[in-house]
Amino acid sequence: MTSTPGSAGPTAAATPPPSEPPAPGATGRIRRFSRAERWVHRVTGALMLLCVATAACLYVPQLAELVGRRALVVTLHEWSGLLLPVPLLLGLASRALRADLRRLNRFLPYDREWLRAVRRRDARPGARPAGKFNAGQKLYAGWIAGAVLVMLGTGLLMWFTGLAPVLWRTSATFVHDWLALAIGVVLAGHIRMAYGDPQARRGMRTGSVDRAWAEREHPRWKEE
């Protein structure tokens, strides 16, 4: 943001904080994610992709033959899965991350309106009201968090064979394998949607987004 002479007085004091959406008609960029949030997303994403890639090498024969070194692949898969929750747990030290987790955990009336508009395939401006996160992002965040916990629990049962009876381990293997497939499909959809929205990607890469995009895609953000 540029300044003009004399702007450091009362005018500057009235300027909204960078983390808040601007008033309608304002120009420029606004802060969307802190550095801690971006690093948590990047490290978690890298660990998730490593989990998916090593799982594919373990379960697809053609990839297993191509990669080889199954013991190393198993070790990478186990440790990347075990470390998956760590970036988020460390990131809880960030006030910005905790604030966004509270936003993701709140499902508000206009989120239901957003889902109804998606079901009707209504893409008109204003038909899909959203706060900082839309209803789809909230559902994805909740689903992937639950899936990671289930995968961690079932993975531990498979890794440490003495923890539970054979029936439990067999059931854990079944759940782990099919949930891994579901995570792969959902993750592919998440990446596809991210590539379809350059501003969303830029926000996660640089921490800021265009104000016009924020007002159009997340009009209720300021209210939050």
Coordinates of all heavy atoms in Angstrom, one line a residue, residues 134-195:
N134 N -15.8 -20.8 2.5 CA -17.2 -21.2 2.1 C -17.6 -22.6 2.7 O -16.7 -23.3 3.3 CB -17.4 -21.2 0.5 CG -16.4 -22.1 -0.2 OD1 -16.3 -23.3 0.2 ND2 -15.8 -21.7 -1.3
A135 N -18.8 -22.9 2.5 CA -19.3 -24.2 3.1 C -18.6 -25.4 2.6 O -18.3 -26.4 3.3 CB -20.8 -24.3 2.8
G136 N -18.2 -25.4 1.3 CA -17.4 -26.5 0.7 C -16.1 -26.7 1.4 O -15.6 -27.8 1.7
Q137 N -15.4 -25.6 1.6 CA -14.1 -25.6 2.3 C -14.2 -26.1 3.7 O -13.4 -26.9 4.2 CB -13.5 -24.2 2.2 CG -13.0 -23.8 0.8 CD -12.7 -22.4 0.8 OE1 -13.3 -21.5 1.5 NE2 -11.7 -22.0 -0.1
K138 N -15.3 -25.7 4.4 CA -15.5 -26.2 5.8 C -15.8 -27.7 5.8 O -15.3 -28.4 6.7 CB -16.7 -25.4 6.4 CG -16.4 -23.9 6.6 CD -17.6 -23.2 7.2 CE -17.4 -21.7 7.4 NZ -18.5 -21.0 8.0
L139 N -16.6 -28.2 4.9 CA -16.9 -29.6 4.8 C -15.6 -30.4 4.5 O -15.4 -31.4 5.1 CB -18.0 -29.9 3.8 CG -19.4 -29.4 4.2 CD1 -20.4 -29.7 3.0 CD2 -19.9 -30.1 5.4
Y140 N -14.9 -29.9 3.6 CA -13.6 -30.6 3.2 C -12.7 -30.6 4.4 O -12.1 -31.7 4.7 CB -12.9 -29.9 2.0 CG -11.5 -30.4 1.7 CD1 -11.4 -31.6 1.1 CD2 -10.4 -29.7 2.2 CE1 -10.1 -32.1 0.8 CE2 -9.1 -30.2 2.0 CZ -9.0 -31.4 1.3 OH -7.7 -31.8 1.1
A141 N -12.5 -29.5 5.1 CA -11.6 -29.5 6.2 C -12.0 -30.5 7.3 O -11.2 -31.2 7.9 CB -11.5 -28.0 6.8
G142 N -13.3 -30.5 7.6 CA -13.8 -31.4 8.6 C -13.6 -32.9 8.2 O -13.2 -33.7 9.0
W143 N -13.9 -33.1 6.9 CA -13.8 -34.5 6.4 C -12.4 -35.0 6.4 O -12.1 -36.1 6.9 CB -14.4 -34.6 5.0 CG -14.5 -36.0 4.6 CD1 -15.5 -36.9 4.7 CD2 -13.5 -36.8 3.8 NE1 -15.2 -38.1 4.2 CE2 -14.0 -38.1 3.6 CE3 -12.2 -36.4 3.3 CZ2 -13.3 -39.0 2.9 CZ3 -11.5 -37.4 2.7 CH2 -12.0 -38.7 2.4
I144 N -11.5 -34.2 5.9 CA -10.1 -34.6 5.8 C -9.5 -34.7 7.2 O -8.6 -35.6 7.4 CB -9.3 -33.6 4.9 CG1 -8.0 -34.3 4.4 CG2 -8.9 -32.4 5.7 CD1 -8.3 -35.4 3.4
A145 N -9.9 -33.9 8.2 CA -9.3 -34.0 9.5 C -9.8 -35.3 10.2 O -9.0 -36.1 10.8 CB -9.8 -32.8 10.4
G146 N -11.0 -35.7 10.0 CA -11.5 -36.9 10.5 C -10.9 -38.1 9.8 O -10.5 -39.1 10.5
A147 N -10.7 -38.0 8.5 CA -10.1 -39.1 7.8 C -8.7 -39.4 8.2 O -8.2 -40.5 8.3 CB -10.2 -38.8 6.3
V148 N -7.9 -38.3 8.4 CA -6.5 -38.5 8.9 C -6.5 -39.2 10.2 O -5.6 -40.0 10.5 CB -5.9 -37.1 8.9 CG1 -4.5 -37.2 9.7 CG2 -5.6 -36.6 7.5
L149 N -7.4 -38.8 11.1 CA -7.4 -39.5 12.4 C -7.7 -41.0 12.3 O -7.1 -41.8 13.0 CB -8.4 -38.8 13.4 CG -8.0 -37.4 13.8 CD1 -9.2 -36.8 14.7 CD2 -6.7 -37.4 14.6
V150 N -8.7 -41.3 11.5 CA -9.0 -42.7 11.2 C -7.8 -43.5 10.6 O -7.5 -44.6 11.0 CB -10.3 -42.8 10.4 CG1 -10.5 -44.3 10.0 CG2 -11.5 -42.3 11.1
M151 N -7.2 -42.8 9.6 CA -6.1 -43.5 9.0 C -4.9 -43.7 10.0 O -4.2 -44.7 9.9 CB -5.6 -42.6 7.8 CG -6.6 -42.5 6.7 SD -6.8 -44.1 5.8 CE -5.3 -44.2 4.9
L152 N -4.7 -42.7 10.8 CA -3.7 -42.8 11.8 C -3.9 -44.0 12.8 O -3.1 -44.8 13.1 CB -3.5 -41.5 12.6 CG -2.4 -41.4 13.7 CD1 -1.0 -41.6 13.0 CD2 -2.4 -40.1 14.4
G153 N -5.2 -44.1 13.3 CA -5.6 -45.1 14.2 C -5.5 -46.5 13.6 O -4.9 -47.5 14.1
T154 N -6.0 -46.7 12.3 CA -6.0 -48.0 11.7 C -4.5 -48.3 11.3 O -4.1 -49.5 11.3 CB -6.9 -48.0 10.4 OG1 -6.6 -46.9 9.6 CG2 -8.3 -47.9 10.8
G155 N -3.8 -47.3 10.9 CA -2.4 -47.5 10.5 C -1.6 -48.1 11.7 O -0.7 -48.9 11.5
L156 N -1.8 -47.5 12.9 CA -1.1 -48.0 14.1 C -1.4 -49.4 14.4 O -0.5 -50.2 14.8 CB -1.4 -47.1 15.2 CG -0.8 -45.7 15.2 CD1 -1.3 -44.8 16.3 CD2 0.7 -45.7 15.3
L157 N -2.7 -49.8 14.2 CA -3.1 -51.2 14.4 C -2.4 -52.1 13.5 O -2.0 -53.3 13.8 CB -4.6 -51.3 14.3 CG -5.4 -50.7 15.5 CD1 -6.9 -50.9 15.1 CD2 -5.1 -51.4 16.8
M158 N -2.2 -51.7 12.2 CA -1.5 -52.5 11.2 C 0.0 -52.5 11.5 O 0.6 -53.5 11.2 CB -1.8 -51.9 9.8 CG -3.3 -52.0 9.4 SD -3.7 -50.9 8.0 CE -2.6 -51.6 6.8
W159 N 0.5 -51.4 12.0 CA 2.0 -51.3 12.2 C 2.4 -52.1 13.4 O 3.3 -53.0 13.3 CB 2.3 -49.9 12.3 CG 3.8 -49.6 12.3 CD1 4.8 -50.5 12.2 CD2 4.4 -48.3 12.4 NE1 6.1 -49.8 12.2 CE2 5.8 -48.5 12.4 CE3 3.9 -47.0 12.6 CZ2 6.7 -47.4 12.5 CZ3 4.8 -46.0 12.7 CH2 6.2 -46.2 12.6
F160 N 1.7 -51.9 14.5 CA 2.1 -52.6 15.7 C 1.1 -53.8 15.9 O 0.0 -53.6 16.5 CB 2.0 -51.7 16.9 CG 3.0 -50.5 16.8 CD1 2.5 -49.3 16.5 CD2 4.3 -50.7 17.1 CE1 3.4 -48.2 16.4 CE2 5.2 -49.7 17.0 CZ 4.7 -48.4 16.6
T161 N 1.5 -54.9 15.4 CA 0.6 -56.1 15.3 C 0.1 -56.6 16.7 O -0.9 -57.3 16.8 CB 1.2 -57.2 14.5 OG1 2.5 -57.5 15.1 CG2 1.5 -56.8 13.1
G162 N 0.9 -56.3 17.7 CA 0.5 -56.8 19.0 C -0.5 -55.9 19.8 O -0.9 -56.3 20.9
L163 N -1.0 -54.9 19.2 CA -1.9 -54.0 19.8 C -3.3 -54.5 19.9 O -4.1 -54.1 20.8 CB -1.9 -52.6 19.1 CG -0.7 -51.7 19.3 CD1 -0.9 -50.4 18.5 CD2 -0.5 -51.4 20.8
A164 N -3.7 -55.4 19.0 CA -5.1 -55.8 18.9 C -5.2 -57.2 18.3 O -4.2 -57.7 17.7 CB -5.9 -54.8 18.1
P165 N -6.3 -57.9 18.5 CA -6.5 -59.2 18.0 C -6.5 -59.2 16.4 O -6.6 -58.1 15.8 CB -7.9 -59.6 18.5 CG -8.2 -58.7 19.6 CD -7.5 -57.5 19.4
V166 N -6.4 -60.4 15.8 CA -6.3 -60.5 14.4 C -7.6 -59.9 13.7 O -7.5 -59.2 12.7 CB -6.2 -62.0 14.0 CG1 -6.3 -62.1 12.5 CG2 -4.9 -62.6 14.5
L167 N -8.8 -60.1 14.3 CA -10.0 -59.6 13.7 C -9.9 -58.0 13.6 O -10.3 -57.4 12.6 CB -11.2 -60.0 14.5 CG -12.6 -59.5 14.0 CD1 -12.8 -60.0 12.6 CD2 -13.7 -60.0 15.0
W168 N -9.4 -57.4 14.7 CA -9.3 -55.9 14.7 C -8.3 -55.5 13.6 O -8.6 -54.5 12.9 CB -8.9 -55.5 16.0 CG -9.9 -55.5 17.1 CD1 -11.0 -56.4 17.2 CD2 -9.9 -54.8 18.3 NE1 -11.7 -56.2 18.3 CE2 -11.1 -55.2 19.0 CE3 -9.1 -53.8 18.8 CZ2 -11.4 -54.6 20.3 CZ3 -9.4 -53.2 20.1 CH2 -10.6 -53.7 20.8
R169 N -7.2 -56.2 13.5 CA -6.2 -55.8 12.5 C -6.7 -56.0 11.1 O -6.5 -55.2 10.2 CB -4.9 -56.6 12.7 CG -4.3 -56.4 14.0 CD -2.8 -56.8 14.0 NE -2.6 -58.1 13.6 CZ -2.6 -59.2 14.4 NH1 -2.8 -59.0 15.7 NH2 -2.4 -60.4 14.0
T170 N -7.5 -57.1 10.9 CA -8.1 -57.3 9.5 C -9.1 -56.2 9.2 O -9.1 -55.7 8.1 CB -8.8 -58.7 9.5 OG1 -7.8 -59.7 9.8 CG2 -9.4 -58.9 8.1
S171 N -9.9 -55.8 10.2 CA -10.9 -54.8 9.9 C -10.2 -53.4 9.7 O -10.6 -52.6 8.9 CB -11.8 -54.6 11.2 OG -12.5 -55.8 11.4
A172 N -9.1 -53.2 10.5 CA -8.4 -51.9 10.3 C -7.7 -51.9 8.9 O -7.7 -50.8 8.3 CB -7.3 -51.9 11.4
T173 N -7.3 -53.0 8.4 CA -6.7 -53.0 7.0 C -7.7 -52.7 6.0 O -7.5 -51.9 5.1 CB -6.1 -54.4 6.8 OG1 -5.1 -54.7 7.7 CG2 -5.5 -54.4 5.4
F174 N -8.9 -53.3 6.2 CA -10.0 -53.0 5.2 C -10.4 -51.5 5.2 O -10.5 -50.9 4.1 CB -11.3 -53.8 5.6 CG -12.5 -53.6 4.8 CD1 -12.6 -54.3 3.6 CD2 -13.4 -52.7 5.2 CE1 -13.7 -54.0 2.8 CE2 -14.6 -52.5 4.4 CZ -14.7 -53.1 3.2
V175 N -10.6 -50.9 6.4 CA -10.9 -49.5 6.5 C -9.8 -48.6 6.0 O -10.1 -47.7 5.2 CB -11.3 -49.1 8.0 CG1 -11.4 -47.6 8.1 CG2 -12.5 -49.9 8.4
H176 N -8.6 -49.0 6.3 CA -7.4 -48.2 5.9 C -7.3 -48.1 4.4 O -7.1 -47.0 3.8 CB -6.2 -48.8 6.5 CG -5.0 -47.9 6.5 ND1 -4.7 -46.9 7.4 CD2 -4.0 -47.7 5.5 CE1 -3.6 -46.3 7.2 NE2 -3.1 -46.8 6.0
D177 N -7.5 -49.3 3.7 CA -7.3 -49.3 2.3 C -8.4 -48.6 1.6 O -8.1 -47.8 0.6 CB -7.3 -50.8 1.8 CG -6.1 -51.6 2.3 OD1 -5.1 -50.9 2.8 OD2 -6.0 -52.8 2.1
W178 N -9.6 -48.7 1.9 CA -10.7 -48.1 1.2 C -10.8 -46.6 1.5 O -11.1 -45.8 0.7 CB -12.1 -48.8 1.5 CG -12.2 -50.0 0.8 CD1 -12.1 -51.3 1.3 CD2 -12.6 -50.2 -0.6 NE1 -12.3 -52.2 0.3 CE2 -12.6 -51.6 -0.9 CE3 -12.8 -49.3 -1.6 CZ2 -12.9 -52.0 -2.2 CZ3 -13.1 -49.7 -2.9 CH2 -13.1 -51.1 -3.2
L179 N -10.5 -46.2 2.8 CA -10.4 -44.8 3.1 C -9.3 -44.1 2.4 O -9.4 -42.9 2.0 CB -10.3 -44.6 4.6 CG -10.4 -43.2 5.1 CD1 -11.7 -42.5 4.6 CD2 -10.4 -43.1 6.6
A180 N -8.2 -44.8 2.2 CA -7.1 -44.3 1.4 C -7.5 -43.9 0.0 O -7.1 -42.9 -0.6 CB -5.9 -45.2 1.4
L181 N -8.3 -44.8 -0.6 CA -8.8 -44.6 -1.9 C -9.7 -43.4 -2.0 O -9.6 -42.5 -2.9 CB -9.5 -45.8 -2.5 CG -10.1 -45.7 -3.8 CD1 -9.0 -45.5 -4.9 CD2 -10.9 -47.0 -4.2
A182 N -10.5 -43.2 -1.0 CA -11.4 -42.1 -0.9 C -10.6 -40.8 -0.7 O -11.0 -39.8 -1.4 CB -12.4 -42.3 0.3
I183 N -9.6 -40.8 0.1 CA -8.8 -39.6 0.3 C -8.1 -39.2 -1.0 O -8.0 -38.1 -1.3 CB -7.7 -39.9 1.4 CG1 -8.4 -39.9 2.8 CG2 -6.7 -38.8 1.4 CD1 -7.5 -40.3 3.9
G184 N -7.6 -40.2 -1.7 CA -7.0 -39.9 -3.0 C -7.9 -39.2 -4.0 O -7.5 -38.2 -4.6
V185 N -9.2 -39.7 -4.0 CA -10.2 -39.1 -4.9 C -10.5 -37.6 -4.5 O -10.5 -36.7 -5.3 CB -11.4 -39.9 -5.0 CG1 -12.5 -39.2 -5.7 CG2 -11.1 -41.3 -5.6
V186 N -10.7 -37.5 -3.2 CA -11.1 -36.2 -2.6 C -9.9 -35.2 -2.8 O -10.1 -34.0 -3.1 CB -11.5 -36.3 -1.1 CG1 -11.7 -34.9 -0.5 CG2 -12.8 -37.1 -1.0
L187 N -8.7 -35.7 -2.5 CA -7.5 -34.8 -2.7 C -7.3 -34.4 -4.1 O -7.0 -33.2 -4.4 CB -6.3 -35.6 -2.2 CG -5.0 -34.8 -2.0 CD1 -5.2 -33.7 -0.9 CD2 -3.9 -35.7 -1.6
A188 N -7.6 -35.3 -5.1 CA -7.5 -34.9 -6.5 C -8.5 -33.8 -6.8 O -8.2 -32.9 -7.5 CB -7.7 -36.1 -7.4
G189 N -9.7 -33.9 -6.2 CA -10.7 -32.9 -6.4 C -10.3 -31.6 -5.8 O -10.5 -30.5 -6.4
H190 N -9.7 -31.6 -4.7 CA -9.2 -30.4 -4.0 C -8.2 -29.7 -4.8 O -8.2 -28.5 -5.0 CB -8.6 -30.8 -2.6 CG -8.1 -29.7 -1.9 ND1 -8.8 -28.6 -1.3 CD2 -6.7 -29.4 -1.5 CE1 -8.0 -27.8 -0.7 NE2 -6.8 -28.2 -0.8
I191 N -7.2 -30.5 -5.4 CA -6.2 -29.9 -6.2 C -6.7 -29.3 -7.5 O -6.3 -28.3 -8.0 CB -5.1 -31.0 -6.5 CG1 -4.4 -31.4 -5.2 CG2 -4.1 -30.5 -7.5 CD1 -3.4 -32.6 -5.4
R192 N -7.7 -30.1 -8.1 CA -8.3 -29.6 -9.3 C -9.0 -28.2 -9.1 O -8.9 -27.3 -9.9 CB -9.3 -30.6 -9.8 CG -10.1 -30.2 -11.1 CD -11.0 -31.4 -11.6 NE -11.8 -31.0 -12.7 CZ -12.9 -30.4 -12.7 NH1 -13.4 -30.1 -11.5 NH2 -13.6 -30.1 -13.8
M193 N -9.8 -28.1 -8.0 CA -10.5 -26.9 -7.7 C -9.5 -25.8 -7.4 O -9.7 -24.6 -7.8 CB -11.4 -27.1 -6.5 CG -12.6 -28.0 -6.9 SD -13.8 -28.0 -5.6 CE -14.6 -26.4 -5.8
A194 N -8.4 -26.1 -6.8 CA -7.3 -25.1 -6.5 C -6.7 -24.5 -7.8 O -6.5 -23.3 -7.9 CB -6.3 -25.6 -5.6
Y195 N -6.5 -25.4 -8.7 CA -5.9 -25.0 -10.0 C -6.9 -24.2 -10.8 O -6.5 -23.4 -11.7 CB -5.4 -26.2 -10.8 CG -4.0 -26.5 -10.5 CD1 -3.6 -27.4 -9.5 CD2 -2.9 -25.8 -11.1 CE1 -2.3 -27.7 -9.2 CE2 -1.6 -26.0 -10.8 CZ -1.3 -27.0 -9.9 OH 0.0 -27.2 -9.5

